[in-house]
Amino acid sequence: MKKISNLLNLLCILLVFTGCEPPGSKYNLIYRSSDPGRQNLLTETNTIELPVEGNIPIWLNGTLLRNGPSWFGSNPLDASMHWFDGLAMLHGFKIENNRVFYTNRFLETGALSLAKNQGIFAFRGFATNLYDDLLQNMVSLLFLSEGAPNANINLYRVAGNYLALTELTPPVQFDKESLRTVGSFPYQDDLPKANVFESAHPQYDIDERCFYNYIVNFFPRTSYLIYKIPENSSRRIPLVEITEEKPSYMHSFSITKNYIIFTEYPFKLVDSILFSGKPFIKNYAWDKCTKTKITIINKNCPCDIKTYYTDPFFSFHHINAYELGSNLILNIIAFKDNQIVDRLGFFPECLEPSFLLDLRIDLAENRVNQRRISFEGSADLPRINPAYNGRPYRYFYAVKFEKDRHLVMKWDTQKNTPLFWSQKNCFAGEPVFIQNPLGSGREDDGVILSLILDANEKISFLLILDAKNLKELARVPLLFSVPYGLHGQFYK
Ligand SMILES: [Fe+2]
């Protein structure tokens, strides 16, 4: 392996000396976008205590860990690295008896080392491809395959290990307190560990105390491989493999008590992820002639699979699903097609409108009813009370995107009405719900944690809201602003 690495190093050097210089290397590391959420944050912080304005509930103790892109490149002629491809930074907010301690650190990845040491932003990204040449792209892909991937999407905990997640494996382990990177995480099993897609949204099953997730195999044949992993184990247990010639790009999925639900959008794999030389998402294309396929896998008998078809739509995030008699109810934040994927790369002032898609699948009658409920704009990054995952629920929390602010939104699925928290020029991050263990037990008896970017003050602050009414309880300002993040989890 070392010899291969040396050979690839040599090949890269040769490419530079023959004039095929990676474009990032000849520019200063300055990002020129004017969007406040797309400014590079390069500062890392050893643990410090932050001032608290307001009162944090006495019961709220634990750590909010957040992941997201933080360094968007250096090329002033191409200030367009896709939002999803910024280099990963972890943020930790440890809350202890009304005090908050903060740490942030880059994930130490192959991509970070190249950027820091050589000023080169070239890696196997989601949508960014800084080389124009197919061969160069393939070399960079192979060259970086030994380093930990830029796992900037989400995180989760298995067998006491904290793992940063991306969609192109493997996960990257880090220390929960210092946020220092341990390295690529070796699952103790025989399932593929590299060169496959793996969803960054594993679904926790409350009864089984395990996560469900899936892999997409690209070679030698394309397939979905569904597995589960007990929360105290690092061994993934395969359940079923479904061969699919053109797998869809599915960022997330749902579970219920008895089922796993995939929504296979018409956003289909049409090129070879491993051999095309294109960035990951450029191998997918929207097929105007195809509907969205709903695939339902019986957890208790995984070969028992049913499929249904609906009008085409695209989604990043399922909200929740549950069973009601012979019906499966599936709620999704959906878009009419895949245009949002490119639009999010630049984060324009106005995003494509999204809608709440309420699907009712009658398993007895083999029928699907669908309702599209408008958000009157664009919303995404939904979260629920995690105790209701896969169970009947009423509320979800999300971000509503507007031109001069991003709002925290609470949505009542019974009334289909929203409640908002907002402040002008403040850009909210994903709202994470934490249940009050001393409370009434109501679904919304708890708090919302959201990291807000205040563009006026050029700082970010952790906002703590009462989840019942979205009234502010406390805010905890940082000394700098944090770019728009992706996902986070709260651990006690
Ligand atoms: Fe996501």
Side-chain angles (χ1 to χ4, degrees):
M1 191 54 105
K2 190 74 185 164
K3 280 184 180 171
I4 296 172
S5 171
N6 289 340
L7 187 65
L8 291 170
N9 264 311
L10 183 64
L11 196 46
C12 276
I13 291 164
L14 282 173
L15 285 169
V16 170
F17 275 91
T18 51
C20 303
E21 189 179 357
S25 63
K26 57 188 171 191
Y27 300 107
N28 294 327
L29 298 178
I30 298 167
Y31 186 72
R32 289 189 177 173
S33 166
S34 59
D35 191 314
R38 289 290 303 270
Q39 304 303 306
N40 288 333
L41 168 62
L42 305 181
T43 307
E44 295 180 300
T45 312
N46 291 321
T47 305
I48 54 165
E49 184 169 3
L50 298 174
V52 175
E53 299 168 9
N55 290 303
I56 298 175
I58 194 73
W59 56 265
L60 184 62
N61 289 291
T63 302
L64 175 71
L65 295 172
R66 292 205 56 78
N67 198 351
S70 192
W71 191 359
F72 298 95
S74 56
N75 185 344
L77 300 180
D78 181 23
S80 59
M81 177 182 270
H82 195 288
W83 177 39
F84 294 172
D85 279 331
L87 300 184
M89 182 175 273
L90 297 167
H91 304 263
F93 294 87
K94 187 173 186 179
I95 302 172
E96 229 171 36
N97 303 321
N98 203 32
R99 299 171 73 187
V100 178
F101 302 88
Y102 173 74
T103 311
N104 73 317
R105 202 167 296 286
F106 276 112
L107 205 62
E108 295 287 337
T109 62
L112 180 71
S113 275
L114 259 191
K116 269 164 84 168
N117 301 330
Q118 298 179 49
I120 298 172
F121 284 81
F123 56 94
R124 182 159 53 153
F126 176 82
T128 304
N129 198 1
L130 292 180
Y131 296 93
D132 295 327
D133 180 83
L134 179 74
L135 176 63
Q136 282 180 288
N137 278 303
M138 291 190 71
V139 168
S140 76
L141 187 152
L142 291 165
F143 171 56
L144 287 167
S145 62
E146 284 185 35
N150 184 37
N152 65 4
I153 301 178
N154 200 357
L155 48 97
Y156 86 142
R157 179 177 63 187
V158 281
N161 301 300
Y162 291 84
L163 308 181
L165 299 175
T166 180
E167 292 179 327
L168 291 169
T169 52
V172 183
Q173 188 178 350
F174 63 93
D175 179 80
K176 180 195 173 196
E177 300 298 325
S178 67
L179 304 184
R180 290 192 188 282
T181 303
V182 177
S184 295
F185 182 70
Y187 283 117
Q188 303 297 307
D189 57 45
D190 296 327
L191 297 188
K193 295 180 177 65
N195 293 324
V196 291
F197 170 100
E198 193 168 34
S199 172
H201 285 281
Q203 291 296 307
Y204 185 68
D205 187 298
I206 300 155
D207 295 332
E208 295 186 64
R209 300 176 75 85
C210 76
F211 292 94
Y212 282 85
N213 204 351
Y214 77 98
I215 284 169
V216 180
N217 286 310
F218 299 121
F219 187 82
R221 65 175 186 275
T222 43
S223 65
Y224 302 113
L225 175 60
I226 299 158
Y227 70 82
K228 66 179 178 182
I229 179 167
E231 66 178 348
N232 292 321
S233 168
S234 52
R235 192 171 76 85
R236 297 167 296 178
I237 303 165
L239 298 177
V240 66
E241 184 171 4
I242 305 170
T243 303
E244 171 61 56
E245 192 187 341
K246 291 183 176 179
S248 296
Y249 172 66
M250 288 186 291
H251 181 71
S252 66
F253 65 104
S254 286
I255 57 169
T256 67
K257 194 171 175 55
N258 292 295
Y259 299 98
I260 300 158
I261 309 174
F262 280 5
T263 43
E264 296 180 52
Y265 316 110
F267 197 29
K268 296 283 185 182
L269 186 68
V270 293
D271 217 332
S272 168
I273 296 278
L274 301 182
F275 303 114
S276 72
K278 298 177 186 173
F280 168 73
I281 203 64
K282 302 295 182 190
N283 293 290
Y284 292 82
W286 188 258
D287 181 351
K288 287 182 182 161
C289 303
T290 307
K291 294 192 160 196
T292 293
K293 180 162 85 172
I294 313 291
T295 302
I296 297 167
I297 300 122
N298 188 333
K299 281 181 182 172
N300 309 306
C301 179
C303 290
D304 175 9
I305 297 169
K306 289 187 171 181
T307 54
Y308 300 86
Y309 290 87
T310 70
D311 293 340
F313 65 89
F314 174 76
S315 166
F316 284 110
H317 297 113
H318 286 211
I319 303 167
N320 199 11
Y322 57 93
E323 297 167 24
L324 203 61
S326 67
N327 287 287
L328 290 186
I329 315 300
L330 175 59
N331 289 165
I332 291 176
I333 289 195
F335 298 85
K336 69 179 172 50
D337 58 30
N338 67 322
Q339 286 181 48
I340 186 70
V341 175
D342 285 336
R343 299 271 291 172
L344 274 178
F346 302 94
F347 228 104
E349 287 181 342
C350 294
L351 290 172
E352 318 292 317
S354 59
F355 51 90
L356 169 58
L357 182 62
D358 183 72
L359 289 171
R360 291 179 185 243
I361 305 151
D362 189 329
L363 297 176
E365 300 288 331
N366 281 326
R367 231 182 10 222
V368 182
N369 286 319
Q370 54 179 304
R371 237 176 2 139
R372 297 184 175 203
I373 300 150
S374 169
F375 292 127
E376 295 178 358
S378 197
D380 209 326
L381 297 172
R383 295 296 293 260
I384 60 168
N385 179 335
Y388 289 74
N389 196 33
R391 303 291 183 272
Y393 80 116
R394 179 166 177 178
Y395 303 107
F396 69 87
Y397 310 88
V399 175
K400 173 105 183 279
F401 303 101
E402 292 183 358
K403 186 179 168 187
D404 62 351
R405 67 184 83 192
H406 295 168
L407 305 86
V408 177
M409 179 174 84
K410 176 184 182 181
W411 190 273
D412 182 336
T413 62
Q414 285 185 7
K415 296 178 180 171
N416 280 319
T417 51
L419 204 60
F420 294 108
W421 175 94
S422 78
Q423 189 174 312
K424 194 166 183 196
N425 289 325
C426 282
F427 298 84
E430 175 200 45
V432 176
F433 177 89
I434 299 113
Q435 179 109 39
N436 177 0
L438 311 172
S440 63
R442 275 179 50 136
E443 184 186 334
D444 61 350
D445 190 353
V447 298
I448 293 295
L449 300 183
S450 175
L451 186 58
I452 312 285
L453 193 168
D454 183 337
N456 283 347
E457 300 294 327
K458 295 189 169 46
I459 57 151
S460 291
F461 59 88
L462 181 67
L463 178 67
I464 304 176
L465 300 174
D466 185 329
K468 288 194 286 296
N469 48 28
L470 296 194
K471 291 264 166 63
E472 180 172 335
L473 299 173
R475 64 172 66 187
V476 185
L478 292 170
L479 293 171
F480 46 76
S481 65
V482 177
Y484 300 145
L486 290 166
H487 300 293
Q489 308 294 338
F490 186 82
Y491 295 103
K492 290 189 175 141

